[in-house]
Amino acid sequence: MSATSMEMYKVHFTHLVSYHFPFTSFQSFFLKGSRTEASHNMILLNNSQKLLALYKSLARSIPVSLKVYGSVYHINHGNPFNMEVLVDSWPDYQMVIIRPQKQEMTDDMDSYTNVYRIFSKDPQKSQEVLKNCEIINWKQRLQIQGLQESLGEEIRAAAFSNSVKVEHSRAGLFITEDFLKLHASNKSKLGSWAEIGQPDDEFERLVNDNWKRGKNERSLRYIMRCIEVLPAACMLGPEGTPISWITMDPSCEVGMGYCMEKYRKKGNMAQLLVRHQKYLCQKNIPFYVSVLEDNKDSRRSVGLAGYFEAPCEWHQWTCYPQNLVPF
């Protein structure tokens, strides 16, 4: 795309402070959260110094720790999704589980909210912890996410013992050299979205309507929350309407990326990823991307944006109790 045609497009980022480029602006949104009590057989880590120590420790296990590492980042920076951290021991932990606080998981059907992110130094010994209904609420529809395929056997065994059906999905994990240079610290400057106003409701519905896992009211509520409190980016076309966008989830994964068909294969998504990446690096916010094996266009875009495929894969186990199986 030529420099002249590029002037027709504008990129908008949701984050706190606005930075002005020839055709780019940035904004951000963050909220505060609270903590709940510990669960049986696991330790609730809710001390800020211990959480920072955990964050720095998890950095040594990247990329397999990224789901938990990114979640701890957001917990340390306002905790906008009201998550909590469980470890099996401290400071010499073997397993870390990130989950929403109890008051967040009030809808048994909401698998967008009922998400557990796990990292284990010994995945083969995680089954007994996972079976515990006080740690994983197996009576709800839920997702378990991680970057260790070996967790799968233990998750299936724990689910079977609780009469729960499991569906597994996988994708490639992509990171950048810039991300690997970030420092594990608490130095990001955060604030509230209320300082600059809320994102556009129509844009949030547009994201939901074009997200493969979305297209329902629960996904819309989740998307609205992500866009309101986490960094997101949108490129506007010549008519001033969104043509391409990306968001971030509570584990620092950059996702829900989409480009309108008319504007595909023109480098727009790659450009958006590069701008987003630059901003996240400036703010010392961790980030990574997952892409399905058959999504050739997205793999091309992340490659053009400087991402490379990590040696581990992205994994998600969607779990349905017998009375909540959707078919």
Side-chain angles (χ1 to χ4, degrees):
M1 183 174 291
S2 68
T4 301
S5 60
M6 279 310 307
E7 292 176 358
M8 299 172 65
Y9 299 89
K10 179 180 277 188
V11 182
H12 287 275
F13 284 71
T14 58
H15 212 68
L16 175 63
V17 182
S18 294
Y19 295 87
H20 297 284
F21 291 85
F23 53 92
T24 309
S25 64
F26 302 84
Q27 301 173 323
S28 95
F29 315 92
F30 281 85
L31 300 176
K32 297 291 183 181
S34 59
R35 304 242 158 61
T36 58
E37 296 179 357
S39 290
H40 182 60
N41 291 341
M42 294 286 278
I43 301 169
L44 178 65
L45 213 63
N46 58 3
N47 174 280
S48 60
Q49 292 303 313
K50 290 179 180 179
L51 286 169
L52 180 56
L54 175 64
Y55 184 62
K56 292 181 176 180
S57 174
L58 289 166
R60 296 194 287 270
S61 297
I62 287 172
V64 293
S65 65
L66 266 177
K67 270 289 170 186
V68 168
Y69 177 80
S71 301
V72 174
Y73 171 85
H74 284 311
I75 291 171
N76 287 345
H77 292 86
N79 201 7
F81 280 78
N82 293 328
M83 298 184 291
E84 61 188 15
V85 181
L86 300 175
V87 294
D88 59 335
S89 60
W90 185 259
D92 299 319
Y93 65 90
Q94 293 295 306
M95 188 173 188
V96 186
I97 297 177
I98 308 293
R99 70 180 185 185
Q101 294 173 12
K102 186 176 181 180
Q103 70 268 24
E104 292 288 325
M105 296 192 289
T106 57
D107 183 351
D108 290 343
M109 298 292 289
D110 189 359
S111 57
Y112 302 97
T113 298
N114 307 331
V115 178
Y116 300 76
R117 297 175 175 94
I118 298 177
F119 167 69
S120 177
K121 294 180 180 178
D122 192 354
Q124 287 75 21
K125 294 182 179 179
S126 61
Q127 185 181 146
E128 289 306 312
V129 172
L130 296 174
K131 282 182 179 179
N132 191 332
C133 289
E134 292 188 33
I135 296 171
I136 307 289
N137 186 352
W138 292 107
K139 295 180 180 180
Q140 295 184 317
R141 285 180 60 172
L142 58 90
Q143 295 176 15
I144 299 175
Q145 298 177 351
L147 304 174
Q148 298 168 285
E149 186 174 14
S150 50
L151 282 170
E153 185 176 345
E154 309 304 308
I155 290 170
R156 290 186 185 91
F160 179 79
S161 71
N162 286 281
S163 301
V164 171
K165 176 181 174 60
V166 178
E167 291 182 349
H168 174 240
S169 56
R170 68 200 304 162
L173 176 71
F174 292 82
I175 55 179
T176 71
E177 291 290 345
D178 287 337
F179 162 75
L180 296 175
K181 296 173 184 177
L182 294 180
H183 303 291
S185 70
N186 278 351
K187 293 183 179 179
S188 296
K189 181 180 179 182
L190 309 177
S192 168
W193 57 262
E195 295 180 39
I196 54 173
Q198 297 191 39
D200 189 290
D201 290 344
E202 290 303 314
F203 171 65
E204 292 161 344
R205 291 190 176 277
L206 185 62
V207 174
N208 186 46
D209 291 343
N210 290 281
W211 186 30
K212 187 176 181 180
R213 292 183 48 235
K215 303 177 175 67
N216 61 75
E217 287 304 310
R218 288 186 176 91
S219 63
L220 177 60
R221 288 197 299 270
Y222 170 72
I223 287 169
M224 291 173 68
R225 195 169 182 181
C226 287
I227 293 175
E228 286 172 0
V229 301
L230 303 176
C234 171
M235 178 178 287
L236 303 180
E239 295 82 19
T241 57
I243 63 168
S244 185
W245 56 81
I246 47 179
T247 69
M248 177 173 276
D249 82 354
S251 69
C252 286
E253 180 175 345
V254 174
M256 300 182 215
Y258 189 81
C259 185
M260 294 297 189
E261 187 171 355
K262 177 181 176 181
Y263 297 94
R264 292 176 190 170
K265 298 183 179 179
K266 297 180 180 180
N268 292 322
M269 180 58 74
Q271 181 198 80
L272 194 61
L273 282 164
V274 168
R275 294 285 181 173
H276 196 227
Q277 172 186 332
K278 183 181 294 186
Y279 174 66
L280 296 175
C281 287
Q282 288 173 345
K283 305 300 290 183
N284 206 40
I285 301 173
F287 60 94
Y288 57 97
V289 174
S290 65
V291 184
L292 295 173
E293 182 67 34
D294 61 355
N295 194 336
K296 304 301 182 185
D297 287 345
S298 291
R299 283 177 171 260
R300 176 178 176 273
S301 293
V302 298
L304 290 172
Y307 286 79
F308 63 90
E309 193 161 6
C312 60
E313 291 182 308
W314 177 97
H315 295 275
Q316 178 172 282
W317 296 269
T318 305
C319 305
Y320 308 93
Q322 286 185 343
N323 63 321
L324 298 178
V325 174
F327 40 79

